[in-house]
Amino acid sequence: MADWIAAIILGLVEGLTEFIPVSSTGHLLLAKQALGLGDEPWDTFIVMIQLGAILAVVAVYFMRLWKVLLGLPGKDPSARRFAISVLLAFFPSALLGLLFHDFIKDVLFNTTLVCVMLIVGGFALIALERWAPPAREGDAMRFSWKTALGIGLWQCLSIIPGVSRSGATIVGGLLLGVDKRAAAEFSFFLAIPTMVGAFALDFWASRDMIDAQVAGLIGIGFVVSFISGLFVVRTMVDFVGRYGFAPFAAWRILVGTVGLLGIWLYA
């Protein structure tokens, strides 16, 4: 398969899975193995094209984010409160990412672990659908700082591929009494600093191996992930409000089970 076709496929996988609780990194690792791609430059590619999906969030929520940005230097307490809540939620996983970057890429990027965590996370979502505590907070831009920090601590679980960054933050939000729709929206906002930070860290660590060819592949994946991410961001909140998280749980369990069978059959 031509590298540019692989870049398109992986870009689609990234954009379609980044914001739903199914683990985009896990799906990308499984797709990479299914396509017969090596570790480098594809592991770096997987991290760096996430920025395309993140820009989809910025595009869809541009006016709300722009209003917050304009309010920060002035006297808008709601803008400062929102910005601080996102930074509080971002800090724990940022610290872990800096400390364990090499360990995550060298040890945890493991397809067997991905499949197991997909299945475990699927059953966790099913349990939450039935036994989540009643919602107390319903506006993703007005969370208490305690709730935001709690969601950030839950996001730390997503350093394990297969857990899902959005899944960890949504689960954390639901357990902390956040409404489903608000949990999904806050996961979008928290993705912006989290994935920009991951992009910058991986770009710096891999800068020597990014030549013109690799940069071109990253550009293709970036554009495809942005376009497909736009579709997901525009539809995710309404989908969750109507159907909940059960469809994502079923998908996680299916993909994880099929992945384990594939590993067992072709190992």
Side-chain angles (χ1 to χ4, degrees):
M1 178 182 296
D3 285 349
W4 67 270
I5 296 177
I8 290 174
I9 293 172
L10 294 178
L12 278 171
V13 172
E14 163 59 24
L16 294 174
T17 60
E18 178 61 50
F19 302 110
I20 62 177
V22 299
S23 179
S24 62
T25 301
H27 277 69
L28 286 165
L29 290 175
L30 292 174
K32 186 194 77 170
Q33 181 160 320
L35 294 172
L37 304 174
D39 290 340
E40 291 297 348
W42 294 105
D43 283 347
T44 296
F45 173 93
I46 284 172
V47 174
M48 298 189 70
I49 65 169
Q50 292 173 337
L51 186 61
I54 297 311
L55 287 180
V57 174
V58 176
V60 172
Y61 289 95
F62 178 79
M63 293 308 300
R64 289 169 68 177
L65 295 172
W66 183 247
K67 183 179 179 180
V68 169
L69 189 62
L70 291 178
L72 288 178
K75 298 180 179 180
D76 186 349
S78 63
R80 290 195 298 272
R81 175 175 177 160
F82 172 68
I84 292 172
S85 69
V86 172
L87 290 175
L88 278 174
F90 164 66
F91 178 75
S93 61
L95 181 61
L96 282 181
L98 284 171
L99 292 175
F100 298 106
H101 174 265
D102 292 339
F103 175 78
I104 293 168
K105 287 194 69 175
D106 297 339
V107 178
L108 296 184
F109 272 36
N110 179 296
T111 50
T112 301
L113 178 61
V114 165
C115 293
V116 170
M117 297 314 299
L118 283 172
I119 295 171
V120 171
F123 283 110
L125 284 175
I126 290 173
L128 270 175
E129 282 285 88
R130 299 188 63 181
W131 297 299
R136 301 186 306 273
E137 298 190 66
D139 187 342
M141 302 191 79
R142 295 180 179 273
F143 284 173
S144 67
W145 291 348
K146 180 180 178 181
T147 297
L149 180 59
I151 292 174
L153 292 172
W154 273 92
Q155 182 176 240
C156 292
L157 293 175
S158 66
I159 68 169
I160 305 172
V163 168
S164 169
R165 185 204 57 78
S166 59
T169 55
I170 288 170
V171 166
L174 293 177
L175 289 174
L176 291 168
V178 171
D179 172 76
K180 289 179 182 179
R181 296 170 65 95
E185 278 200 329
F186 191 77
S187 178
F188 294 163
F189 298 137
L190 182 52
I192 297 173
T194 301
M195 301 319 302
V196 169
F199 171 89
L201 182 61
D202 212 80
F203 175 79
W204 181 255
S206 308
R207 63 192 183 281
D208 293 334
M209 70 176 65
I210 301 177
D211 55 20
Q213 180 182 1
V214 174
L217 293 175
I218 291 172
I220 293 171
F222 178 95
V223 172
V224 174
S225 68
F226 171 75
I227 294 171
S228 52
L230 275 177
F231 168 77
V232 174
V233 173
R234 286 173 173 167
T235 59
M236 168 71 172
V237 173
D238 288 338
F239 183 91
V240 168
R242 180 174 298 182
Y243 301 107
F245 297 107
F248 304 118
W251 178 257
R252 290 181 65 108
I253 294 169
L254 174 63
V255 172
T257 302
V258 171
L260 285 177
L261 287 173
I263 293 169
W264 177 67
L265 289 172
Y266 297 105

